[in-house]
Amino acid sequence: MTIEDHIRTSETLTASRASWDSWWESLMDHFLPSRSYRGRAAGDAPAATTFDRIYDTTGMEACEGLANMLTARLSPVGERWVSYSPPSPFDQDEEISAWYRECSNIILKELLSSNYYTERAEANLDKAGLGTSCLYVQRGKKRLFHHKHIDLGTFNFREDEEGMPSEFYYEPEMTAYEIKAKFPAPLPEKIAAACANNEEKHSKKFKILHYVGPNPDYNDQKLESKYKKFVSRWISLEDKKDLDIKGFDAFPYEVSRMQKWTSVDQWGLAPGRKAMPDIHQANWLQHLSDLAAELIIRPRTLTLANQVGQINYRSGGSTVVTAEAAAAGLPKEWLHNGRPDFAEARLTTKQDSIKRMFLQPLWQPYSEITRDVTAYEVSARERQSLTQAVPILARHETDSQPIHARYFGIALQAGILPPVPRKLVDQTGPDIPDPIARSESRIAKMIRDSENQDFAEFAQQLAGVAQLSPDVLDEIDLAAGIREVAKSRNLPAGTIRAEQAVIELRSSREQQQEQAGAMEAMDMGAGAAQKASQVDPAALQELAGLTA
């Protein structure tokens, strides 16, 4: 495709996104007001009146609560929240599987020293409040991985037949100085001129278009950048010229959704969109409650027209009234009997509805408990909340596959991973298969712990039956069950012995037992012979005579 083709495609996708832009702006106003100025003129500071229209903050609190839950439960800092496994059929090989697991542990250590967690937290705010988030991954200069959260409203993307992003258009604005630092020379004429001007190089901004999509020249037998699976093309919209063209082994953008709006629309459905009727009413009811409270604190006053301005409202102040006013009982409070209690009851109903839309049981599982409860009841509540977490975890694992393939490729190129198993290279050649990322987050572990508990309960029942009929143990491969439970716990590499090592260990143990048995038999034979040699022959003859 030519530069003009990419520009036209980007403009078409932006135009088709117009209705979503309007919705996102409305959602930002109510749930993420700190971002509601995005999409306006670049460089504008947030308006001082951004929060002035918000009377009830339940929406903002619920949005941040869900976003914090996504960060703390799906990718907690300092924990092993993901594990790699090889694609089929290599997942049946224990050595190859162990190598992929060790690769994931190394990559997690690199992520800990990068800006992943700060940018992920920003992306999760978009995901919780707006329904769609985007994270860009590139190889860093100071650290192995560098991440950038991409603002909603600045990018478009297309999906392939499997629902995964396949083409991406991102339109940032960059200063001439930033462009010069990022892209190789020579730069287009207008940008180069701005770089030469000390006043313009830090202030003048240029619109840039970044396209990532399938490479028509892809060749897995060639290692040059231009033959990579995906092509990356940076274009200056001002000059309509290329800034940089390179290739990627894996898609560098992760687009994640809470839910999909429809099966034919790629954008995500935000909890806030479903909660919008309640948030409007809660905001209005909170405003009414504030007005009612103000009337109670500062009530209206009824007085004679000729005494307007003569009433002293200060604490301890005195007001002299006319005889006419005194006869009429004036001044007096007037029309101050509002019903804030009724508004509060309705407001609580709306606030609870908003919290449920934002999956409050996941991030405040004990908020409704007002009494002492047992540990069993706490565990039961946690299990019940998992039903809401399952679709979130499934969507997260699906959407995050490209970004983990990107990590894997960068780590391979950097040479920080252990040597690739020879048997894997012999079957795949230099193109090592991308890993399948499996969540090891707290939510995933809680779900698998539920499955493991079923196995533990079955094992206890089996132990009771085996006391009556030991032969029943022949029906169950307990070692295989224990191995699966250990794998589901994502134990460190080396903790679980390879199956061949277990076979050799058992064979060695059997040989030792056989040798010990043979030695014991020899010892018993030697002992019997020694005892026989010590018997008195005369005593044997006497015994023989008694038995004759």
Side-chain angles (χ1 to χ4, degrees), residues 30-31 33 51 53-65 279 282-283 286 290 347 351 354-355 358 363:
H30 290 90
F31 302 102
F51 292 84
R53 292 171 293 178
I54 297 178
Y55 299 99
D56 185 83
T57 60
T58 304
M60 290 190 295
E61 294 171 4
C63 179
E64 291 187 4
I279 196 67
N283 206 46
Q286 188 69 267
D290 292 343
L347 177 61
Q351 290 173 336
I354 294 169
K355 293 175 182 178
F358 279 89
W363 45 275

Side-chain angles (χ1 to χ4, degrees), residues 523-548:
D523 291 341
M524 291 177 63
Q530 183 179 5
K531 289 180 180 179
S533 65
Q534 295 175 354
V535 176
D536 187 358
L540 286 175
Q541 292 179 1
E542 181 180 354
L543 179 61
L546 290 175
T547 57

Side-chain angles (χ1 to χ4, degrees), residues 76-353:
V77 180
E79 296 184 18
R80 287 185 299 159
W81 46 266
V82 70
S83 178
Y84 293 167
S85 61
S88 180
F90 305 111
D91 56 340
Q92 301 302 316
D93 188 288
E94 186 60 34
E95 180 186 355
I96 295 177
S97 298
W99 180 78
Y100 272 91
R101 288 197 298 271
E102 182 61 23
C103 290
S104 63
N105 292 334
I106 293 173
I107 288 173
L108 280 175
K109 291 180 181 179
E110 292 294 332
L111 290 177
L112 189 61
S113 63
S114 73
N115 66 335
Y116 170 80
Y117 292 97
T118 55
E119 293 300 296
R120 172 61 73 186
E122 293 296 322
N124 282 338
L125 276 173
D126 278 356
K127 187 175 180 178
L130 309 176
T132 305
S133 66
C134 182
L135 200 63
Y136 176 54
V137 183
Q138 58 185 326
R139 184 166 181 174
K141 296 180 179 179
K142 297 180 180 179
R143 297 164 292 194
L144 184 60
F145 303 124
H146 179 71
H147 304 80
K148 180 175 174 58
H149 157 243
I150 307 299
D151 295 334
L152 207 58
T154 63
F155 66 88
N156 299 290
F157 68 100
R158 287 172 168 168
E159 294 180 324
D160 59 20
E161 65 277 6
E162 296 181 355
M164 300 300 292
S166 59
E167 291 186 279
F168 197 93
Y169 289 90
Y170 170 46
E171 294 189 20
E173 284 191 340
M174 303 173 66
T175 64
Y177 179 83
E178 291 171 335
I179 295 173
K180 183 179 179 180
K182 183 175 180 64
F183 301 108
L187 296 175
E189 182 179 350
K190 294 181 180 179
I191 298 176
C195 288
N197 188 317
N198 290 330
E199 295 182 0
E200 292 185 350
K201 68 179 181 180
H202 291 291
S203 59
K204 189 173 182 178
K205 293 188 175 183
F206 297 86
K207 289 187 177 181
I208 308 297
L209 176 63
H210 185 207
Y211 167 78
V212 176
N215 187 358
D217 299 324
Y218 171 59
N219 189 331
D220 60 357
Q221 300 301 316
K222 297 183 178 181
L223 300 179
E224 292 91 335
S225 178
K226 62 181 180 180
Y227 296 115
K228 298 291 186 181
K229 190 174 184 179
F230 295 96
V231 61
S232 167
R233 192 171 185 178
W234 292 87
I235 300 170
S236 169
L237 297 180
E238 188 87 10
D239 298 272
K240 294 185 178 181
K241 293 183 179 180
D242 286 315
L243 292 170
D244 190 26
I245 300 178
K246 63 176 66 173
F248 290 137
D249 290 313
F251 205 73
Y253 288 98
E254 179 207 80
V255 181
S256 187
R257 282 69 59 98
M258 280 294 294
Q259 291 176 282
K260 294 192 71 173
W261 176 244
T262 64
S263 60
V264 296
D265 200 314
Q266 73 270 34
W267 299 107
L269 174 62
R273 188 160 187 174
K274 295 182 286 185
M276 191 60 76
D278 289 316
I279 196 67
H280 280 304
Q281 294 180 50
N283 206 46
W284 179 66
L285 287 169
Q286 188 69 267
H287 190 196
L288 290 181
S289 297
D290 292 343
L291 291 176
E294 183 181 0
L295 285 177
I296 294 173
I297 297 172
R298 298 182 62 187
R300 298 184 182 97
T301 303
L302 182 65
T303 187
L304 295 177
N306 58 10
Q307 285 201 280
V308 173
Q310 298 178 9
I311 300 174
N312 188 344
Y313 291 99
R314 292 178 297 179
S315 175
S318 299
T319 300
V320 179
V321 299
T322 63
E324 181 184 5
L330 301 178
K332 65 180 181 180
E333 295 180 2
W334 181 64
L335 295 180
H336 66 283
N337 296 320
R339 289 293 307 276
D341 55 330
F342 181 77
E344 287 292 337
R346 294 290 299 160
L347 177 61
T348 300
T349 301
K350 298 302 177 183
Q351 290 173 336
D352 290 342
S353 178

